[in-house]
Amino acid sequence: MKLLIADDSSDKIGSILNLLREIDGFDPRDAEYVLDIKSARAKLFDVFYDLLILDLNMPEELGDTPSIEAGANFVEEIIDTKSIKKPADLIVLTAFDESAQIFKTKIELAGFFVLPYDPFSTEWTSILKSRVDYLMLCQEQRKIIPKPPKCDFAILTAVPIETSAVLALDIEWEQLN
């Protein structure tokens, strides 16, 4: 499972990484982090992530002042920009109640979670852990279930006379098992 954390707080990144280490089967080497929107954007141009954990109050570039709307604007950019590889899931995790309240409806209408981050709370940890568990289960299931054979089309027949008629067509048939 590939996971990207976009946050400018090293304490929050540390809390998230510690939580991920507690999840059975999660390999912490599959988690990357960036400290600004520009770096997150660059990562999403190159890699498909299963989950993006995004802070709302982020600087555009390292050294810039964090902007309260940067995360929400980046969510819109992810949705609207064709060349950005869309993460399968996105969770906004923010410590600033004011920014969460301003953008919560907008982000949730796009289909994503907005979680209030509090280093002393277990609410965000249980939701994030459940989401990562679910995504890992989805990924594991996709490995187990065989992929259907690749073909351009299939013809199903109900009786032998139909099968014989189809096979008599001047086509190079290939039987797949």
Side-chain angles (χ1 to χ4, degrees):
M1 176 175 168
K2 298 282 295 167
L3 187 143
L4 178 63
I5 303 165
D7 201 305
D8 61 331
S9 165
S10 58
D11 289 340
K12 192 158 60 157
I13 292 170
S15 294
I16 295 167
L17 291 172
N18 286 335
L19 172 74
L20 294 172
R21 286 183 189 99
E22 295 173 9
I23 298 174
D24 231 10
F26 185 82
D27 186 347
R29 294 174 295 190
D30 289 336
E32 300 177 39
Y33 64 89
V34 293
L35 303 172
D36 59 36
I37 296 292
K38 182 179 180 181
S39 299
R41 184 181 298 113
K43 291 278 189 183
L44 291 177
F45 276 120
D46 292 334
V47 178
F48 281 109
Y49 289 94
D50 298 297
L51 177 61
L52 169 62
I53 301 171
L54 175 66
D55 186 18
L56 282 179
N57 197 21
M58 295 272 296
E60 176 61 32
E61 291 187 53
L62 282 178
D64 289 352
T65 302
S67 167
I68 194 168
E69 68 271 349
N73 290 343
F74 188 49
V75 170
E76 283 183 1
E77 183 181 348
I78 290 168
I79 293 168
D80 294 338
T81 305
K82 291 183 181 185
S83 55
I84 289 180
K85 292 177 171 55
K86 314 295 183 246
D89 202 358
L90 187 150
I91 294 176
V92 172
L93 186 63
T94 185
F96 295 97
D97 286 340
E98 61 195 47
S99 59
Q101 293 310 314
I102 294 169
F103 300 109
K104 183 176 173 65
T105 302
K106 182 179 186 179
I107 291 169
E108 288 183 348
L109 283 174
F112 305 116
F113 286 109
V114 176
L115 297 176
Y117 172 78
D118 177 351
F120 306 107
S121 168
T122 59
E123 181 181 352
W124 72 270
T125 61
S126 60
I127 293 171
L128 183 56
K129 183 180 182 312
S130 294
R131 200 70 203 143
V132 171
D133 281 337
Y134 177 76
L135 291 168
M136 288 174 47
L137 181 63
C138 291
Q139 190 176 48
E140 191 60 36
Q141 189 179 43
R142 286 185 187 105
K143 290 178 187 174
I144 295 169
I145 297 173
K147 294 180 182 177
K150 292 183 179 185
C151 61
D152 295 323
F153 64 92
I155 300 174
L156 303 176
T157 58
V159 292
I161 194 166
E162 292 173 347
T163 304
S164 297
V166 170
L167 291 175
L169 296 172
D170 188 23
I171 298 175
E172 292 182 32
W173 295 109
E174 180 182 341
Q175 183 175 346
L176 299 175
N177 295 320

